[in-house]
Amino acid sequence: TFKMLVPALLVLLFCLRGHAGLSPHFLQQPDDLVALLGDEARLPCALGEYWGLVQWTKDGLALGGERDLPGWSRYWISGNAASGQHDLYIRPVELEDQASYECQATQAGLRSRPAQLHVLVPPEAPQVLGGPFVSLVAGIPANLTCRSRGDARPTPELLWFRDGIRLDGTTFRQTLLKEGTTGSVESILSLTPSSHDDGATLVCRARSQALPSGKDTAITLSLQYPPVVTLSAEPQTVLEGEKVTFLCQATAQPPVTGYRWAKGGSPVLGARGPMLEVVADASFLTEPVSCEVSNAVGSANRSTALDVQFGPILQARPEPMSVDVGEDASFSCAWRGNPLPRVTWTRSGDAQVLGSGTTLRLPSVGPEDAGDYICRAEPGLSGLGGGAAEARLTVNAPPVVTALHSAPAFLRGPARLQCLVFASPAPDAVVWSWDEGFLEAGSQGRFLVETFPVPEGRGGQGPALISVLHISGTQESDFSRGFNCSARNRLGEGGTQVSLGRRDLLPTVRIVAGVASAAMTLLMVIIGVTLCCWRHGKASASFSKQKNLVRIPGSSDGSSSRGPEEEETGSGEDRGPIVHTDHSDLVLDEEGALETKDPTNGYYKVRGVSPPTSPDSCMTALQMKSPGIFNLP
C-alpha cells in the first residue's frame, strides 16, 4: 500500500511546485549524430527541476530506467543525476545501433525531440580487375574496372588518378543486395592507350564520408600494339593501261606474321608479300588497293586509290519524259571519266548546243519542244571513250488533227475519208460529225468509222492514230457538205474539216459511147431484117433448143442497168446485154421443114417478106450455131 502511495505523492508534489512556477523542463536535448562503425556515440540529455525517473527509447522501445541499462551491454546512461544530466552512451557502435532515440522524463510526461543516429562504415581497399599488371593493346579502346565490396556506408566514391591527376571518362555502377543494402560498387575507366602508356601507373581510390582520405589500389599498364602500316604507290598518277607498284611497310610488337592484299574489298589472289604490281585501269580510281598486315596481337589495314586517267564512260542514261504543255522539263545523264568529261546537250537534227553539264532544263515547254535530246561527252585525253545518249521529250497537249488525202468518189458509189491524229496523252475519242449526226466508232446507216494506230508517230508528239470514215452509196449532199474529224483528251480538243471530192465520166467519152452504141444497134437491126426476109420460107435447119441466146451489142436497156462502177469498166468495150429469145412460135411441117406460125391466126400469111411481117417473125428464121454468131448457107 505504501508503494502505491509514493507515485501519487510525487505527482502531487510536482503539481504543487508547478503552481509555485518551478516545473520540470529540458536543459539539453539530443541531436542527430553520425558515428563511425566501432567508435563511441554520445546522445546528451539534461533536465531541470526534475528528480524523477528518466529513460531512453530506441525506435520507440524503452531501454530501461536503470543507469547501467541491464540487457544492453554496450549501452549505459552517464552524468550527474542530481544536476539532471542523463546522457546515453553506446560503445562500440555497430550497424544495428542506427536508429531514432528519445530521452523521456516519465513522471513529468516530458519527451525530447527524436535524435537519429547514423552509423558510418568506411570502405575497404578497392580491387582493379586484371591487376596489378594489366596488358593492353595500343590503339584499341579498353575498359579498366575498379570494384569496392562490403557494407560501406555511405556508398563510397571510386576515383581514378594518374600521376596525382584525376582522370575523366569514368562510368559508375552500383549493385544492391536483396535486402536493399549495398552489395558492391564499380567504376569503369574507358581509355584508348598508346605506346606512350607502356609502364604507366594508374590508381583507383575509394573514399566516403566515413573515410575522407580514402583507400588506394594501384595497377601498372603493359602495352602491345598491332602493326603500324604505311602504303605507297609508284607512280600515283597514271594513264589507263600503265604499270603501278604498291609498297606496304609495317612496324609491330610482336613482329609481323603476314600480308594480305585486296582491291575494292576483294582479295588479290597470289599476292602475299609487301609488294604488288598491277596494270592500272579505270576501276582503280573507285576501288582502292588495300594492304592488311597481321601479328600475334592483331592486324592493321591501309588503302590508297590511284589517280587513273581515262576517257568518258556512260553511267546513267537520260530517261524519257512526258510533261504537260507549259510545265518545266529536265533531263539528266551521268558520265564517268578522269579528268571529268565535258558534257553537252543538243537536239536531234540540230547542232546547236542547248546546255552543258549533267542536267538540261527546259522551262515552260510547248509542242515545238517535243523531240529527241542528246547528251554527249567528248573523248578523254587518251582519245578513248565518249559517246552520246538520247531521250525523248513528249509534250502533252491538245490533239493535233490533220486531214489526209481522200480519193474522189462516184455518185452512189463507196467513199472513204481519212484524218491523222497526234495526241499525248492518247485521245479519249475520235469523232466524225456532219450536218445530221456524228459517229465515234462502229456503223450508223451509210456510215462506218474505223480507227487504228500508226506504227510510228512524229518524235515527241505522242502516238498517232488514223481514223477512217467509210460512206456506202454516196449522195449529192455528201459532196457539198463538210465532214469534221475531231479528237479530245484531258488537255483539250482539236479537229479539222474533210471534204469529199466527186468523180464523173468525161462528157466526150459518154457521147462517143452513146453514138457507137446507137449505130451498132441500128446496123444489127438492118442485118437481121434483111436476113429474115431472104431466108423466109426456105429455112430447113432446125433449132437445137427452144430458146437461143442472142447478144445485141449496144442495147440501151443493158446500158441503163449498169451502175457507176460497171460504166467505168465497160467504157472500153460495149458488149451489150444477153437477150433471151423465145422461139415457141416456130413449128416443124410433115417434111421436117420449119414452118412459121402465123401470129395473126391467118389474118396475114407468113410467106417471104410479105408485109406486115414483124421483126420477131423474121428473126425466128435465123439459124445460129452459137450465141451471137449467125450461120449463112
Side-chain angles (χ1 to χ4, degrees):
T1 303
F2 177 75
K3 291 182 178 180
M4 296 178 62
L5 292 175
V6 171
L9 292 174
L10 291 174
V11 171
L12 179 61
L13 178 63
F14 279 109
C15 290
L16 293 175
R17 291 172 64 101
H19 288 291
L22 300 174
S23 61
H25 60 277
F26 281 103
L27 299 176
Q28 184 179 12
Q29 297 187 53
D31 293 318
D32 291 345
L33 179 64
V34 176
L36 196 62
L37 181 69
D39 288 354
E40 181 181 272
R42 172 180 170 270
L43 296 172
C45 178
L47 290 163
E49 302 300 326
Y50 179 77
W51 294 271
L53 179 64
V54 175
Q55 70 172 1
W56 284 84
T57 63
K58 175 183 178 183
D59 289 336
L61 176 65
L63 300 179
E66 292 82 357
R67 307 288 284 183
D68 56 354
L69 297 179
W72 300 89
S73 59
R74 296 179 294 104
Y75 290 56
W76 70 92
I77 297 175
S78 180
N80 188 352
S83 61
Q85 194 73 32
H86 305 278
D87 298 341
L88 175 65
Y89 283 84
I90 304 173
R91 188 178 62 188
V93 174
E94 296 182 359
L95 290 177
E96 63 185 26
D97 299 330
Q98 183 166 293
S100 177
Y101 295 87
E102 288 184 2
C103 178
Q104 298 178 353
T106 57
Q107 295 167 334
L110 296 177
R111 300 175 59 182
S112 70
R113 61 173 172 264
Q116 185 70 35
L117 175 62
H118 298 278
V119 180
L120 302 184
V121 180
E124 299 177 359
Q127 176 188 7
V128 178
L129 301 185
F133 296 96
V134 178
S135 179
L136 300 178
V137 178
I140 305 299
N143 294 328
L144 298 179
T145 302
C146 178
R147 180 177 298 165
S148 176
R149 295 183 180 273
D151 293 328
R153 295 186 183 183
T155 301
E157 180 183 18
L158 300 179
L159 305 175
W160 288 90
F161 294 88
R162 177 176 178 175
D163 299 331
I165 300 174
R166 182 175 173 178
L167 301 178
D168 296 325
T170 60
T171 302
F172 181 78
R173 185 168 60 192
Q174 180 175 342
T175 303
L176 300 178
L177 298 177
K178 292 182 179 180
E179 294 79 6
T181 59
T182 303
S184 66
V185 292
E186 291 181 350
S187 177
I188 300 174
L189 174 65
S190 299
L191 73 162
T192 302
S194 65
S195 57
H196 303 290
D197 297 324
D198 189 29
T201 299
L202 301 182
V203 173
C204 178
R205 177 176 299 165
R207 72 179 184 183
S208 69
Q209 184 181 355
L211 187 63
S213 60
K215 290 186 178 180
D216 294 345
T217 298
I219 60 168
T220 302
L221 301 182
S222 176
L223 266 295
Q224 292 183 333
Y225 55 93
V228 178
V229 181
T230 58
L231 179 62
S232 61
E234 184 61 35
Q236 188 70 37
T237 301
V238 295
L239 291 177
E240 189 174 16
E242 293 184 347
K243 287 186 177 182
V244 179
T245 300
F246 293 90
L247 182 61
C248 184
Q249 296 175 309
T251 58
Q253 180 62 41
V256 172
T257 57
Y259 295 85
R260 188 172 67 175
W261 293 88
K263 174 178 174 287
S266 300
V268 179
L269 301 179
R272 290 183 174 84
M275 185 178 296
L276 175 67
E277 289 186 352
V278 297
V279 176
D281 58 31
S283 65
F284 282 88
L285 187 64
T286 55
E287 298 178 5
V289 173
S290 61
C291 173
E292 183 180 77
V293 185
S294 304
N295 68 354
V297 174
S299 62
N301 189 302
R302 291 293 180 269
S303 62
T304 184
L306 291 179
D307 183 16
V308 182
Q309 297 185 349
F310 57 93
I313 300 173
L314 180 63
Q315 286 187 305
R317 303 181 65 87
E319 297 292 335
M321 289 203 66
S322 177
V323 298
D324 291 350
V325 63
E327 294 184 350
D328 296 343
S330 64
F331 292 99
S332 296
C333 70
W335 292 87
R336 177 168 161 258
N338 188 29
L340 194 65
R342 180 176 179 269
V343 179
T344 58
W345 292 87
T346 58
R347 188 171 178 177
S348 180
D350 189 352
Q352 181 182 359
V353 176
L354 303 177
S356 59
T358 58
T359 302
L360 173 66
R361 290 182 174 83
L362 302 173
S364 187
V365 299
E368 67 279 1
D369 296 315
D372 295 326
Y373 289 82
I374 301 173
C375 170
R376 192 184 310 276
E378 301 298 330
L381 298 177
S382 61
L384 301 176
E390 67 178 37
R392 174 163 294 183
L393 173 62
T394 301
V395 179
N396 300 324
V400 177
V401 184
T402 306
L404 297 179
H405 173 72
S406 300
F410 290 107
L411 180 64
R412 292 186 296 277
R416 186 173 71 173
L417 301 178
Q418 302 179 102
C419 68
L420 179 63
V421 180
F422 290 100
S424 177
D428 302 324
V430 179
V431 180
W432 286 88
S433 60
W434 53 94
D435 295 340
E436 68 273 13
F438 66 91
L439 187 58
E440 179 179 335
S443 61
Q444 176 183 318
R446 299 181 298 114
F447 302 96
L448 170 67
V449 170
E450 292 181 320
T451 301
F452 48 89
V454 177
E456 182 65 30
R458 287 184 287 183
Q461 285 195 331
L465 300 174
I466 288 183
S467 185
V468 182
L469 175 64
H470 297 275
I471 307 175
S472 61
T474 58
Q475 299 177 358
E476 286 288 351
S477 59
D478 296 334
F479 300 101
S480 59
R481 62 185 170 192
F483 293 85
N484 293 317
C485 176
S486 61
R488 65 178 180 274
N489 61 13
R490 64 178 176 82
L491 296 174
E493 183 174 355
T496 188
Q497 188 175 73
V498 186
S499 299
L500 177 61
R502 183 167 180 171
R503 182 177 183 183
D504 293 326
L505 291 174
L506 295 177
T508 304
V509 175
R510 300 183 67 181
I511 294 172
V512 171
V515 172
S517 177
M520 183 62 69
T521 302
L522 180 60
L523 178 61
M524 292 301 295
V525 170
I526 294 173
I527 294 174
V529 172
T530 303
L531 290 177
C532 177
C533 295
W534 183 68
R535 293 282 293 178
H536 182 68
K538 297 182 180 181
S540 59
S542 61
F543 291 88
S544 60
K545 295 183 181 292
Q546 292 183 355
K547 291 183 180 181
N548 286 307
L549 300 179
V550 178
R551 195 176 297 272
I552 302 176
S555 171
S556 60
D557 293 339
S559 175
S560 64
S561 65
R562 288 180 295 193
E565 292 179 348
E566 294 174 333
E567 290 178 4
E568 179 181 359
T569 58
S571 61
E573 180 183 355
D574 196 347
R575 298 174 57 186
I578 298 175
V579 179
H580 294 271
T581 305
D582 190 356
H583 299 283
S584 60
D585 58 340
L586 299 180
V587 297
L588 293 174
D589 59 9
E590 295 178 357
E591 299 177 357
L594 267 174
E595 290 289 336
T596 305
K597 271 190 177 182
D598 184 2
T600 62
N601 293 323
Y603 188 79
Y604 293 107
K605 291 184 178 180
V606 185
R607 297 295 182 191
V609 291
S610 300
T613 304
S614 68
D616 287 341
S617 64
C618 294
M619 289 297 293
T620 58
L622 298 179
Q623 183 180 9
M624 306 170 64
K625 290 185 178 180
S626 61
I629 301 177
F630 295 95
N631 290 328
L632 298 178

